[in-house]
């Protein structure tokens, strides 16, 4: 257990795990239980690490660092995850800090290093590959990344970047057809990158 006095900063070290807690991070003095957990499989840190519980509110973000297993020190698809109540891994960050990965969080709980090697998904919604879009006023594409989430996206028409609006709630990328779409043949490209750099590319030809 670590006793954290609200007006003081604190540091916690736990076998390849570090946490930096700034001054006034909590709303009051707290006692944090810490533990190593070795019952979670398919992870890339030596252990999962429990720091307090998510029921304890944070006023400021803390910094968490975890060292990956030796064989994965240079793996760019690793990230620090928070394990939620459903057992799902929630992406926190993947900043490199020496031999550690680093992330900032405003939620206490169980932290570990996970790996995301799956590319995002790109799926056309209101048109088909190599089809006519003569009746369309927009092009709608569903984009999704089920693990770490979407970091960047871009759309190109005939090799020129076009403005597309991202509706994160509905996982939709929407392009209002404008002068970039010409009569006849048009090439469409959509590029989506997730939070650890996995990239998906969708390309098709459309007729108008």
């Amino acid at each position: 257990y670590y006793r954290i006095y609200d007006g003081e900063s604190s540091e916690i070290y736990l076998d390849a795990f570090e946490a930096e807690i700034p001054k006034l991070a909590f709303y009051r003095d707290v006692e944090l239980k810490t533990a190593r957990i070795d019952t979670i499989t398919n992870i890339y840190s030596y252990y999962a690490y429990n720091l307090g519980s998510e029921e304890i509110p944070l006023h400021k973000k803390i910094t968490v660092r975890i060292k990956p297993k030796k064989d994965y020190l240079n793996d760019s698809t690793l990230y620090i995850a928070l394990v939620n109540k459903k057992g799902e891994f929630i992406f926190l960050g993947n900043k490199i800090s020496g031999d550690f990965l680093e992330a900032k969080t405003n939620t206490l709980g169980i932290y570990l290093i996970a790996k995301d090697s799956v590319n995002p998904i790109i799926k056309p919604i209101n048109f088909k590959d190599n089809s006519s879009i003569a009746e369309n006023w927009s092009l709608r594409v569903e984009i999704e990344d089920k693990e770490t989430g979407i970091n960047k996206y871009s759309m190109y028409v005939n090799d020129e970047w076009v403005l597309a609006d991202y509706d994160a709630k509905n996982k939709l990328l929407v392009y209002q057809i404008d002068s970039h779409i010409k009569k006849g043949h048009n090439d469409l490209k959509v590029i989506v990158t997730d939070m650890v750099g996995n990239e998906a590319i969708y390309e098709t030809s459309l007729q108008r």
Side-chain angles (χ1 to χ4, degrees):
Y1 288 87
Y2 282 81
R3 183 72 176 176
I4 309 297
Y5 297 96
D6 191 41
E8 300 178 3
S9 60
S10 301
E11 295 182 352
I12 293 173
Y13 299 96
L14 190 67
D15 195 12
F17 172 86
E18 302 175 359
E20 287 186 8
I21 301 173
K23 294 179 180 179
L24 304 174
F26 297 94
Y27 293 89
R28 55 182 173 79
D29 295 351
V30 296
E31 192 171 67
L32 299 181
K33 180 182 179 180
T34 62
R36 297 181 314 185
I37 301 172
D38 60 4
T39 56
I40 302 177
T41 59
N42 296 320
I43 66 174
Y44 296 84
S45 47
Y46 292 98
Y47 300 94
Y49 302 91
N50 186 196
L51 178 62
S53 68
E54 58 185 271
E55 284 75 23
I56 301 173
L58 277 165
H59 182 59
K60 292 182 179 180
K61 288 186 176 183
I62 67 171
T63 300
V64 174
R65 298 186 189 91
I66 306 177
K67 183 180 291 186
K69 291 178 181 177
K70 184 177 179 180
D71 292 345
Y72 299 95
L73 283 175
N74 298 314
D75 191 332
S76 63
T77 63
L78 300 185
Y79 65 97
I80 294 179
L82 173 72
V83 183
N84 68 13
K85 291 183 178 180
K86 297 179 180 179
E88 300 167 329
F89 295 172
I90 308 302
F91 175 87
L92 293 182
N94 61 344
K95 180 181 176 180
I96 297 173
S97 178
D99 288 339
F100 288 75
L101 292 184
E102 178 180 298
K104 294 184 181 296
T105 180
N106 55 8
T107 306
L108 299 178
I110 298 173
Y111 309 104
L112 51 79
I113 292 180
K115 180 180 174 72
D116 179 4
S117 56
V118 180
N119 291 339
I121 298 169
I122 305 174
K123 179 183 177 183
I125 298 298
N126 65 341
F127 63 94
K128 296 180 180 179
D129 291 352
N130 304 306
S131 63
S132 171
I133 55 170
E135 304 298 322
N136 288 49
W137 60 270
S138 69
L139 299 180
R140 295 171 177 259
V141 180
E142 180 180 323
I143 61 174
E144 182 180 11
D145 188 83
K146 294 183 177 180
E147 190 159 345
T148 56
I150 291 171
N151 182 29
K152 296 186 295 184
Y153 56 86
S154 54
M155 183 179 287
Y156 299 86
V157 172
N158 299 321
D159 294 325
E160 293 187 12
W161 180 87
V162 295
L163 177 64
D165 295 320
Y166 179 43
D167 179 353
K169 182 178 179 181
N170 295 304
K171 306 172 185 176
L172 282 178
L173 194 59
V174 181
Y175 161 60
Q176 307 285 349
I177 289 177
D178 57 19
S179 59
H180 289 90
I181 295 285
K182 311 296 183 183
K183 287 186 177 180
H185 179 92
N186 293 273
D187 292 320
L188 175 70
K189 178 189 286 188
V190 180
I191 304 173
V192 179
T193 308
D194 69 15
M195 298 300 289
V196 299
N198 295 314
E199 183 181 84
I201 299 176
Y202 169 80
E203 294 182 276
T204 191
S205 296
L206 301 170
Q207 303 296 321
R208 186 173 176 84

